[in-house]
Amino acid sequence: MIGARRSLVAAVGAAALVAVAAVAAWAAISPTYTVAGIEVAATPLEGTFVGTGTGSSGDKLVWKAVVGHTPLSTNPATPATITGGSLTAASYFDGTLTPLTGTFTGGTVTFDPALSSGAACGNQVFDVSGSLAVASGSSTGTGTFDVYLTHHRVSLFGRCITFAATVRGAPGLSLSF
């Protein structure tokens, strides 16, 4: 009988430790993040971005987003459609690293004339608003990736060249589990 009680106490104790560890990992993911990053690869139908962020709970985030889309348009009335892609991230808080993954399920990339330069070869700003299906450990949920994408451009030998692209958003990443 004493052995059975010890086994029960040990099982309850182990379950409590697992629950505490799960809560600690859960606490490392904030509901919102201010993000900033750069575009490291681009084709007419896909952009790859990497960056960092700060969570509303004080954690730090590193992330990579691959965003598939239809061709970009400089007409705000005809935004590009987000056709897929992925989000891979890790949150760091109080010595704990918590992975986060996501899949883009839809959204738009819309030219923003109010934030773009009026110059013939000035910077172009796009509002990126993507919907996500997200997971962290055994928890699943939804999210949004809302950033301003700026194409930094310069005229060179009579051609307009995009030489860099940056993203920023506050909050740029919102999560719900």
Side-chain angles (χ1 to χ4, degrees):
M1 187 64 124
I2 293 176
R5 283 187 190 160
R6 284 187 183 155
S7 294
L8 179 59
V9 169
V12 169
L17 284 175
V18 168
V20 168
V23 169
W26 174 260
I29 299 288
S30 291
T32 61
Y33 291 89
T34 297
V35 298
I38 60 171
E39 188 169 34
V40 294
T43 70
L45 300 177
E46 184 178 88
T48 301
F49 307 89
V50 296
T52 60
T54 301
S56 55
S57 299
D59 56 312
K60 302 298 180 187
L61 186 77
V62 293
W63 57 270
K64 174 184 175 185
V66 179
V67 182
H69 55 78
T70 58
L72 298 180
S73 168
T74 54
N75 179 350
T78 57
T81 300
I82 294 176
T83 58
S86 62
L87 173 72
T88 307
S91 167
Y92 180 79
F93 182 75
D94 200 25
T96 301
L97 191 63
T98 305
L100 172 70
T101 58
T103 302
F104 282 94
T105 59
T108 57
V109 182
T110 307
F111 180 70
D112 190 328
L115 296 178
S116 296
S117 170
C121 189
N123 292 348
Q124 295 178 324
V125 178
F126 295 85
D127 301 329
V128 178
S129 181
S131 300
L132 293 161
V134 294
S136 181
S138 62
S139 300
T140 60
T142 59
T144 57
F145 186 73
D146 292 311
V147 295
Y148 293 113
L149 163 63
T150 302
H151 286 164
H152 302 276
R153 304 179 335 150
V154 65
S155 181
L156 186 63
F157 302 115
R159 294 187 57 205
C160 191
I161 306 294
T162 300
F163 65 91
T166 57
V167 293
R168 62 181 168 79
L173 179 62
S174 299
L175 304 167
S176 178
F177 287 95

